């Protein structure tokens, strides 16, 4: 061990007696300082301006300031190792060979292993100085950030150092192959590049998919930069370092021996087999350990999801990914075999495998077209072709083997995905039940934690599944129409905020021809245009009398259609239309305030303050009612009143005219909740004065109003409330001026002193 330490000290001394080590230190310092202190100065400037001129309580929420600052620092540090490590390692052994001093080392008491380990230890000690530079920036982070997240510091440094050591082991081996340092440096760069890209090679082949993915350096430090330390990543770096250090020992030892080539080659093969076996075993989900170092546990699924996975216990949970070759979704490519490791298992399922490592995964690839959906576009692209012929053309164009894809008939025997539009979905099977986890038409593609929580709850507690029926037959808002007036976004299966993806079952009901089903949790009557027939109104009245929950949405001009039904509830839509004339908007767009009652409907509505309600009627409570009526949203004075006459929105702003029937009040209710006790059950009804505010045209933000209301109407079983910790490092403690001073100090003054120190030391060494 003493010889190893002496060799390491000598190697470290030699590094600092050459310009390379000083150049790398200086360049690394400047690059890290530029990334951190430029970002710090910009953030401090923004924070100071916002607090002074906009909002004294302004914060960086929902971002963690530590992550926002140091995420870029770590990425910069990792990315430039490509350049620095080959320069540092290119002469470790090739220098000895080129100068002839390798023979002196061989003749010394040190063995080959001691020589290799001593040189490797020397470069590892040097790398600690690069870690120290990042550590200096972290110390400044403690000064600059209020309640900084120490966990991100720890995990990021560990990831950076392990990656540096793995790169150095590669450089050490490349240096032992050639006597020319430049060739060693280029070879090191090429091996690192290959290991970074090998994870994307041959991923379509089952036999070697996991081998190439394990060998890949790609994104190995990404989780650590984000604050999650995973045991398989640590073992990976240790295995890679061990492989190339062992290769170096074998290479130097072989040069001193006269052995057959197959014995020498066998040593390399043995090292690789042992390393791959170790890597394979340590990467198994059952043996993988995790440490979320962040203060908010932001890399860990919420406790509610953990409990659901724990409740599954030892019972089998089978997940089948179904991928349609002819799907119209742009995200289908993420489900193909070559993306199984980088996207499907690692990016999406890994956080669930942490708590349920025995999930069984299956894959079904097929091709199918439903002419009633947008998939019929394939028929226009390839007119006159059969589905099989179209699939063959697409497979040839994308260089896929069509034999790997099931025919429509074969796939329908496994699962009929017509209701899902033959899109890419995951089928979760547990105790004979099957639930669908859908992929989304957005850049993220995979369902979120809230979507998965609803799927798991449906599997575990099927008795709590709620079915919502939307009435049809009187020209109500249609959940299938995609126009501005339609409600299709409520039920769009590719929208992560749709009611289905929040856990509800959705269907339509025509009371002219159907009876009210017994499995209904909520009935929705959305803006009927024609008067309800006597039979329909009788069925709805009977449903209400027996304690059924309901949502009713109206609008101005249709009071006569809904008021006969609302009379039974003790509320009415007032004649006329609410207006809120402003300079920037047409007067029918009314901004309403939320009451505490609205916030209490569901966790989704906690913190809700406003809702935009275009074309809205006021709601008044009658003197005699069997229900307890509470307002959910109301207008706020001044400038809002009830216009009695005709409203013209494409002319000058309307003026209040009491002679024309206009009515002024402090507030008008625009949405109310009605409750009453029916035995052991509480009957719940919501009435909105606007049906447009949750239409497709307005559905980008108000989805929480829809999901929150339906959650309350169905006893808050869905969606599942997940515990989320907000970051506490939400402010900087440094001013804009202080950040500027730090920027000058660390980008210019301290690097200048480091440069001066290196020059003086090298000149003194040269004189000696």
């Amino acid at each position: 061990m003493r010889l190893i330490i002496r060799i390491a000290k000598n190697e470290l001394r030699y590094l600092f007696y050459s310009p390379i080590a000083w150049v790398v230190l200086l360049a690394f310092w400047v690059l890290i300082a530029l990334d951190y202190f430029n970002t710090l100065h910009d953030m401090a400037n923004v924070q100071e301006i916002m607090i002074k001129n906009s909002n004294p309580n302004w914060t960086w929420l929902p971002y963690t300031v530590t992550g926002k600052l140091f995420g870029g620092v770590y990425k910069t540090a990792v990315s430039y190792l490509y350049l620095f490590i080959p320069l540092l390692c290119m002469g470790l052994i090739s220098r000895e060979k080129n100068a002839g001093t390798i023979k002196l080392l061989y003749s010394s008491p040190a063995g080959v292993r001691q020589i290799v380990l001593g040189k490797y230890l020397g470069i590892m000690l040097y790398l600690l100085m690069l870690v120290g530079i990042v550590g200096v920036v972290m110390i400044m982070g403690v000064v600059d950030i209020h309640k900084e997240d120490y966990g991100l510091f720890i995990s990021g440094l560990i990831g950076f150092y392990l990656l540096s050591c793995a790169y150095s082991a590669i450089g050490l081996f490349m240096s032992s192959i050639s006597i020319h340092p430049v060739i060693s440096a280029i070879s090191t760069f090429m091996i690192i590049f290959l290991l970074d890209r090998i994870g994307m090679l041959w991923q379509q082949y089952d036999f070697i998919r996991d081998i190439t993915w394990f060998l890949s350096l790609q994104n190995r430090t990404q989780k650590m930069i984000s604050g999650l330390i995973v045991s398989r990543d640590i073992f990976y770096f240790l295995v890679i370092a061990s492989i190339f250090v062992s290769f170096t020992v074998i290479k130097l030892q072989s040069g001193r021996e006269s052995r057959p080539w197959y014995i020498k080659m066998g040593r390399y093969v043995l090292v690789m087999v042992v390393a791959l076996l170790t890597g394979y075993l340590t990467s198994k989900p059952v043996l993988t350990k995790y440490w979320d170092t962040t203060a908010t546990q932001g890399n860990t699924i919420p406790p509610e999801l953990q409990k659901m996975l724990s409740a599954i216990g030892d019972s089998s949970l089978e997940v089948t990914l179904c991928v349609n070759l002819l799907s119209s979704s742009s995200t289908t490519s993420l489900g193909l075999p070559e993306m199984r490791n980088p996207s499907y298992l690692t990016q999406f399922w890994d956080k669930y495998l942490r708590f349920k490592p025995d999930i069984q995964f299956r894959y079904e690839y097929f091709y199918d077209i439903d002419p009633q959906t947008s998939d019929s576009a394939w028929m226009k692209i390839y007119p006159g072709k059969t589905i099989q012929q179209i699939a063959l053309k697409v497979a040839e164009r994308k260089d896929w083997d069509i034999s790997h894809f099931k025919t429509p008939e074969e796939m329908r025997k496994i699962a009929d995905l017509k209701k899902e539009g033959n899109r890419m979905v995951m089928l979760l099977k547990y105790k004979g039940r099957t639930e669908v986890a859908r992929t989304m038409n957005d850049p993220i593609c995979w369902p979120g934690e809230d979507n998965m929580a609803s799927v798991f709850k449906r599997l575990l507690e099927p008795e709590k599944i709620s079915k919502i029926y939307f009435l049809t037959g009187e020209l109500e808002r249609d959940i299938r129409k995609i126009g501005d007036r339609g409600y299709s976004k409520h039920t769009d299966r590719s929208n992560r905020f749709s009611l289905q993806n929040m856990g509800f079952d959705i269907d339509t009901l025509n009371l002219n021809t159907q009876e009210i089903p017994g499995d209904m949790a909520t009935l929705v009557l959305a803006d009927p245009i024609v008067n309800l027939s006597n039979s329909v109104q009788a069925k709805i009245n009977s449903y209400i009398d027996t304690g059924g929950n309901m949502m009713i949405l109206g609008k101005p001009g249709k009071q006569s259609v809904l008021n006969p039904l609302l009379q039974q509830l003790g509320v009415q839509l007032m004649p006329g239309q609410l207006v809120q004339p402003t300079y920037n908007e047409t007067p029918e767009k009314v901004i309403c305030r939320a009451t505490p009652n609205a916030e209490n409907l569901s966790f989704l509505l906690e913190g809700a303050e406003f809702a935009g309600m275009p074309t809205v009627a006021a709601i008044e409570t009658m003197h005699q009612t069997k229900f307890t009526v509470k307002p959910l949203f109301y207008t706020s004075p001044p400038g809002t009143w009830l216009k009695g006459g005709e409203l013209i929105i494409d002319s000058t702003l309307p003026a209040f005219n009491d002679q024309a029937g206009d009515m002024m009040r402090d507030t008008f209710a625009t949405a109310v909740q009605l409750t009453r006790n029916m035995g052991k059950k509480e009957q719940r009804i919501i009435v909105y004065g606007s049906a447009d505010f949750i239409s497709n045209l307005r559905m980008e933000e108000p989805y929480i109003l829809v999901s929150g209301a339906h959650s309350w109407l169905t006893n808050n079983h869905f969606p599942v409330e997940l515990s989320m910790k907000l970051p506490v490092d939400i402010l900087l403690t440094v001013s804009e001026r202080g950040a500027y001073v730090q920027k000058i100090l660390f980008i210019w003054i301290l690097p200048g002193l480091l440069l001066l120190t290196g020059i003086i030391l090298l000149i003194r060494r040269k004189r000696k």
Side-chain angles (χ1 to χ4, degrees), residues 40 101 103 112 134 140 206 226 228 280 621 623 639 714 721:
L40 175 70
T101 53
K103 295 179 181 179
V112 171
V134 181
M140 296 309 302
D206 294 337
S226 302
L228 181 64
Y280 175 76
T621 305
H623 295 295
T714 55
E721 182 176 4

Side-chain angles (χ1 to χ4, degrees), residues 145 163 177 201 325 333 634 682 759 767:
I145 303 171
L163 182 65
I177 293 178
L201 299 178
L325 172 66
S333 58
Y634 64 95
E682 181 183 60
I759 291 173
R767 287 178 177 177

Side-chain angles (χ1 to χ4, degrees), residues 67-82:
K68 196 172 179 64
L69 274 171
F70 281 91
V73 169
Y74 285 132
K75 289 177 181 178
T76 298
V78 167
S79 62
Y80 283 101
L81 284 177
Y82 266 116

Side-chain angles (χ1 to χ4, degrees), residues 104 149 246 248 509 586 609 633 663:
L104 294 176
D149 192 343
S246 299
T248 307
L509 180 67
T586 50
E609 297 182 3
F633 291 91
M663 182 184 300

